[in-house]
Amino acid sequence: MKKFIINCLCAGILSGTALAAAAQAPLSVALHNPAGVTGGLVEVDYAMVAAQWSPLGKGAFKVLNAATGKEVPYQVLTEGTGRPVKILLDIPLKAGASATIRFVEGKPAPVAAKTYGRYVPERKDDFAWENDRVAFRMYGKALEATPKEMAYGVDFWNKRTENLVINKWYKRANYHKDEGEGLDYYHVGLTLGAGGIAPYLEDSIWFSRNYTGHRTLDSGPLRTTFELSYDAWQVGGKPVTVTKTVSLDAHAQLSKMQVRYSQSLPVAIGIIKRKEPGAILLQEASGVMGYWEPQHGADGTTGIGCIVLAPVKEMKVEKGHVLSVSATDGSGAITYYTGGAWDKAGLIKNADQWFRYLQEQAETLRQPVTAKIIQKK
């Protein structure tokens, strides 16, 4: 009897040892792109991996493409929580394609910074952000002291380099002149600019003032995310506040805008319309709104576009804008994407290409890449 008990205990110890070893062995995760177009960066839930792979969080790790053995660049996201939430992978999958990645222990290769953003106190409280394709800024309270320069909406910078330019351009004597990397010629003024948002009541746009608070949630190399907060203003006789969480991924033309108002209300997302003729795309069913501006002399042509994930009530050209009218959910939140392209950057050169890009991005946003752990046998 004693011998039988000892054998059972030993079997249990061996089984526990085997389980521990399995938990530390490389972990395989299957990725699949269900969309009919190439996807962008891929998000994998950190907790899902941690539950199956014990080395995660204990030391350095690599992510390998199982088919090629090459490292996959990644970034661990905290989303401002102070703890890991997601693992962001730079592994674009073609339409309908699948891939397997492996998590292994070891020091990963450095990932070159493809995104960046910061508060710019030296330029009247701007907050500027960029990636390897595009650059943007939004305006802070200090700008309100100079009424002639005052602007509300999103500004788009026309860049034609993969280099990060924000710090360099703010040191230039004149970034409204192209010196080989691009320039800022986009005019915003007292409008929504390149995809700004505002409450839309009584057939009117209720503009806020400029942001008063800022907080960086994640800072590159593959995604930069920050939060802007705004003081209360009157909307239809009631005080309203808003917080905007903005993120931009490497290789993307569009920023993600997660907006939360202090109450549920109708909103308008808008693009300033120029006086000269341009091309406009309004697709309410898919939430795609695009505008290809008239040419700006020798500076070339800018395209601006938005993708609204919430149901769209209507899209129209009105009040000096191309507008998409929607509504927040019951908690006052709405998510949409906005961004631009410049023909002189060479990637998107005309209205057809720009509108096709927006339509394809809408498809990938509604059918994101899935990630599933491959269980060991």
Side-chain angles (χ1 to χ4, degrees):
M1 179 63 70
K2 289 182 179 179
K3 184 177 181 181
F4 176 74
I5 293 173
I6 292 171
N7 285 340
C8 286
L9 289 172
C10 288
I13 293 171
L14 289 173
S15 176
T17 303
L19 287 173
Q24 296 186 53
L27 179 73
S28 296
V29 176
L31 306 177
H32 175 66
N33 177 17
V37 295
T38 300
L41 303 190
V42 177
E43 294 181 354
V44 176
D45 184 71
Y46 187 93
M48 179 186 76
V49 176
Q52 299 291 329
W53 194 58
S54 59
L56 193 67
K58 296 180 180 179
F61 69 93
K62 300 179 182 180
V63 180
L64 304 179
N65 185 321
T68 65
K70 293 182 179 180
E71 279 194 52
V72 176
Y74 72 85
Q75 177 184 347
V76 176
L77 304 174
T78 69
E79 298 184 341
T81 65
R83 58 180 178 80
V85 175
K86 296 173 184 174
I87 303 169
L88 187 66
L89 306 168
D90 191 356
I91 181 170
L93 298 180
K94 293 183 179 180
S98 297
T100 298
I101 57 172
R102 298 174 68 222
F103 286 82
V104 301
E105 295 182 76
K107 185 177 181 181
V111 180
K114 299 291 184 181
T115 72
Y116 177 70
R118 74 172 177 94
Y119 167 58
V120 190
E122 69 269 29
R123 219 305 295 195
K124 302 175 183 176
D125 291 352
D126 285 356
F127 202 105
W129 70 102
E130 66 177 317
N131 67 4
D132 51 339
R133 291 192 178 189
V134 288
F136 309 88
R137 69 173 165 179
M138 292 172 75
Y139 303 103
K141 187 172 180 60
L143 189 64
E144 296 175 9
T146 53
K148 290 184 179 180
E149 299 178 33
M150 181 57 179
Y152 290 135
V154 179
D155 190 21
F156 177 72
W157 280 8
N158 302 77
K159 61 181 279 188
R160 51 174 171 166
T161 175
E162 292 185 357
N163 297 329
L164 301 178
V165 302
I166 284 173
N167 288 335
K168 182 177 179 180
W169 284 21
Y170 272 114
K171 293 178 181 178
R172 283 169 49 178
N174 182 9
Y175 52 74
H176 300 289
K177 179 182 178 182
D178 188 357
E179 296 181 353
E181 293 181 323
L183 74 162
D184 172 25
Y185 78 73
Y186 190 82
H187 174 69
V188 177
L190 304 181
T191 75
L192 295 172
I197 186 171
Y200 190 75
L201 296 175
E202 303 169 3
D203 198 34
S204 297
I205 301 171
W206 297 74
F207 293 97
S208 69
R209 305 297 286 180
N210 290 339
Y211 81 85
T212 55
H214 60 90
R215 183 167 70 106
T216 298
L217 307 183
D218 283 297
S219 183
L222 299 178
R223 175 179 293 171
T224 289
T225 304
F226 59 94
E227 179 183 276
L228 301 179
S229 55
Y230 295 71
D231 289 344
W233 76 105
Q234 293 293 311
V235 177
K238 296 181 180 180
V240 171
T241 60
V242 67
T243 300
K244 301 175 182 178
T245 302
V246 183
S247 63
L248 179 63
D249 286 358
H251 324 312
Q253 304 285 148
L254 308 175
S255 296
K256 182 179 183 179
M257 314 289 282
Q258 296 172 282
V259 182
R260 184 175 295 277
Y261 290 94
S262 54
Q263 58 187 269
S264 179
L265 38 69
V267 295
I269 297 161
I271 303 169
I272 182 175
K273 183 181 178 298
R274 310 305 177 189
K275 293 180 180 179
E276 301 82 3
I280 296 174
L281 174 70
L282 302 177
Q283 293 186 333
E284 294 173 358
S286 61
V288 175
M289 177 174 70
Y291 181 44
W292 190 255
E293 292 192 341
Q295 184 172 332
H296 192 265
D299 294 328
T301 307
T302 295
I304 302 294
C306 304
I307 300 171
V308 186
L309 299 185
V312 173
K313 178 182 178 182
E314 63 176 331
M315 291 181 176
K316 57 186 178 179
V317 180
E318 193 175 277
K319 304 182 189 309
H321 290 80
V322 183
L323 291 175
S324 179
V325 179
S326 186
T328 66
D329 63 16
S331 65
I334 186 170
T335 297
Y336 70 100
Y337 291 73
T338 186
W342 185 33
D343 63 345
K344 294 181 75 170
L347 296 175
I348 296 172
K349 300 179 181 180
N350 54 54
D352 288 343
Q353 291 177 359
W354 179 229
F355 296 162
R356 189 181 312 117
Y357 174 87
L358 294 172
Q359 292 164 337
E360 291 177 352
Q361 290 304 300
E363 183 174 351
T364 63
L365 291 171
R366 290 186 165 88
Q367 298 184 80
V369 172
T370 61
K372 183 179 180 180
I373 290 176
I374 300 174
Q375 298 294 342
K376 302 181 180 69
K377 296 181 180 179

